[in-house]
Amino acid sequence: MDTEEFFLPRSGAANERLHALVPGGAHTYAKGDDQYPENLAPVISHGRGAHVWDVDGNRYIEYGSGLRSVSLGHAHPRVNEAVRRELDRGTNFVRPSMMELEAAERFLATVPTAEMVKFTKNGSDATTAAVRLARAVTGRSRVAICGDHPFFSVDDWFIGTTPMSAGIPTTTSELTVAFPYGDLAATEELLTRYQDEIACLILEPAGHTEPPPGYLAGLRELADRYGCVLIFDEMITGFRWSEAGAQGLYGVVPDLSTFGKALGNGFAVSALAGRRELMERGGLRHSGDRVFLLSTTHGAETHSLAAAMAVQATYAEEGITARLHALGERLAAGVREAAAGMGVADHVLVRGRASNLVFATLDENGRPSQPYRTLFLRRLLAGGVLAPSFVVSSALDDADIDQTVDVVAQACAVYRKALDAADPTPWLGGRPVKPVFRRLA
């Protein structure tokens, strides 16, 4: 389908209604229509497996499902059945349910490097609880984040470091400092500069590149030597790197770690896990000052915990992590071949671990380009591929991958024309897509 013939009138109308009622038109900035070509931001009706349908009736192969949270595919039968069983038994009580015990046992068996776990509903609550706990146990105020990783929390200690810092006192944001990924010397220099001030180092253990040899073990040693807490944000790496997380794959044990995204296959559940000595400070069986670790009314909804247990069982029994890697490797190879065939191999790039692929769109000078990203997304959408990233779910099959590669090849042919013209504007159909973190709307 030519993009000039591709319209989404019902989605457009729904987007207008959303903006009138919901700030930003979505409940997650990364889902905003500013992230998509103008007038081509589909509003979803429903999904099944690796496919979603918009309110205009178009079907798409979907990547990055639910911002990486739906790794088994939409409406997964085993997960849905586990949820249905609990819905008939009640979802929330005035005291803990047996589901809380069983879910904790299952999680700690899956991630044996942790000794205790506490569940909550979203990743930000978990990472902020980890930071609060680190500050409490060290008596220090500063937080050191990995500056090369894009997101840790909606809370002030992180958002204050981004261009969207409006409303956050500088006294709060000044307590957060940054270190570069993969550079132990720079991290030690930071720890030395703020001697006895840094409560924790928080980072994703891996991102678009593998950790350099010895890097994570080196961070572990630095944290021990400088008396700070090592926190792995495993919201993305958890399950996609291995069932036991990146910490299980790389063999480096953090003091605390946070899991989410894939944990519930779209249901709202995340986890803070870690060493008993630290985690118990948020409990009742110690003699020190109490830490308000996590206390959420809906943190232990039975159906979400049941979903998490079903997800973990499915990963373990069906080899889901290996399947995600195999699908990602097939997709990456196909996209690279298509880009090379159209002469844009240096401009349309696939990066990251096979189970967590993203793409980069570079201009004629080799610089990242939002206009070229717009052109690329526009052509993918017209071909029935909804892909803010190339992050796969296990519900994809070879036919889906082959169709995606065909659509990518068509998009790359247009990309080549734009490069030759040194101007993608005629192929944008409107304003370029925008980065999430920017100061002005």
Side-chain angles (χ1 to χ4, degrees):
M1 181 187 298
D2 191 286
T3 55
E4 300 309 314
E5 302 171 0
F6 186 51
F7 299 102
L8 301 175
R10 291 182 179 176
S11 290
N15 277 318
E16 286 303 308
R17 291 167 62 194
L18 279 163
H19 277 283
L21 303 172
V22 178
H27 287 85
T28 310
Y29 284 116
K31 295 184 183 182
D33 56 10
D34 60 339
Q35 303 300 293
Y36 290 83
E38 191 167 1
N39 300 319
L40 289 185
V43 173
I44 304 303
S45 164
H46 63 286
R48 184 166 297 277
H51 302 103
V52 296
W53 286 258
D54 66 22
V55 294
D56 293 277
N58 300 297
R59 188 185 86 153
Y60 304 89
I61 303 169
E62 187 196 39
Y63 293 90
S65 314
L67 305 182
R68 296 179 172 86
S69 68
V70 185
S71 60
L72 300 178
H74 299 290
H76 188 273
R78 184 170 185 173
V79 176
N80 281 5
E81 180 55 34
V83 168
R84 287 191 190 99
R85 283 197 303 270
E86 293 308 314
L87 290 176
D88 289 335
R89 293 162 49 85
T91 61
N92 214 332
F93 311 104
V94 75
R95 279 282 293 150
S97 70
M98 279 300 295
M99 181 58 67
E100 295 178 51
L101 172 59
E102 293 165 3
E105 289 174 339
R106 178 81 208 203
F107 180 89
L108 294 171
T110 304
V111 186
T113 41
E115 296 174 322
M116 297 187 83
V117 63
K118 197 156 192 181
F119 296 110
T120 184
K121 304 308 286 182
N122 62 69
S124 294
D125 284 351
T127 53
T128 292
V131 167
R132 183 185 304 119
L133 184 57
R135 282 171 160 165
V137 299
T138 63
R140 301 173 179 178
S141 298
R142 291 193 187 275
V143 175
I145 64 172
C146 181
D148 296 315
H149 295 157
F151 187 79
F152 290 104
S153 174
V154 301
D155 293 302
D156 289 2
W157 63 269
F158 172 71
I159 292 298
T161 69
T162 75
M164 293 177 71
S165 60
I168 299 171
T170 55
T171 51
T172 297
S173 55
E174 285 171 353
L175 290 175
T176 300
V177 295
F179 60 92
Y181 188 79
D183 190 336
L184 290 173
T187 305
E188 183 165 16
E189 191 279 327
L190 188 73
L191 290 166
T192 302
R193 188 191 325 162
Y194 297 106
Q195 185 83 35
D196 299 328
E197 294 183 38
I198 292 178
C200 61
L201 304 172
I202 181 169
L203 73 157
E204 297 177 45
H208 300 323
T209 59
E210 287 292 290
Y215 173 62
L216 296 179
L219 277 183
R220 174 72 275 173
E221 191 275 330
L222 283 176
D224 290 339
R225 180 147 48 94
Y226 285 87
C228 56
V229 175
L230 180 61
I231 304 170
F232 283 176
D233 178 349
E234 295 235 40
M235 289 293 158
I236 292 173
T237 56
F239 299 100
R240 284 190 178 273
W241 263 241
S242 82
E243 289 86 350
Q247 59 194 274
L249 179 66
Y250 299 126
V252 175
V253 181
D255 298 301
L256 300 171
S257 56
T258 59
F259 287 75
K261 301 280 189 189
L263 183 57
N265 201 53
F267 287 93
V269 57
S270 62
L272 169 64
R275 288 170 44 209
R276 182 177 304 278
E277 178 187 357
L278 274 66
M279 293 287 288
E280 191 59 82
R281 287 288 299 272
L284 301 175
R285 298 184 174 184
H286 66 92
S287 58
D289 291 342
R290 296 187 68 191
V291 177
F292 197 92
L293 188 57
L294 280 167
S295 181
T296 54
T297 299
H298 303 291
E301 282 178 334
T302 56
H303 64 273
S304 292
L305 295 182
M309 292 179 68
V311 166
Q312 291 166 84
T314 303
Y315 263 77
E317 294 170 18
E318 299 183 17
I320 296 297
T321 302
R323 175 166 174 77
L324 293 174
H325 279 85
L327 287 165
E329 286 169 358
R330 181 184 176 98
L331 176 63
V335 169
R336 288 171 180 141
E337 183 178 354
M342 295 298 172
V344 296
D346 294 331
H347 302 273
V348 176
L349 308 178
V350 182
R351 295 172 172 163
R353 194 171 181 85
S355 59
N356 189 55
L357 296 172
V358 298
F359 57 82
T361 51
L362 309 184
D363 65 14
E364 54 274 5
N365 297 310
R367 296 174 300 207
S369 168
Q370 294 296 100
Y372 277 97
R373 178 176 174 86
T374 308
L375 176 157
F376 192 63
L377 288 173
R378 189 173 172 82
R379 292 287 157 169
L380 293 185
L381 285 162
V385 176
L386 179 58
S389 68
F390 280 146
V391 177
V392 296
S393 76
S394 66
L396 291 159
D397 60 24
D398 288 349
D400 293 322
I401 301 293
D402 292 344
Q403 180 183 337
T404 300
V405 170
D406 288 343
V407 173
V408 166
Q410 296 167 32
C412 287
V414 178
Y415 206 113
R416 182 67 260 171
K417 293 179 183 178
L419 287 171
D420 291 341
D423 181 14
T425 305
W427 292 275
L428 299 189
R431 52 104 183 109
V433 299
K434 300 178 180 181
V436 169
F437 289 113
R438 58 185 192 276
R439 190 171 67 86
L440 301 176

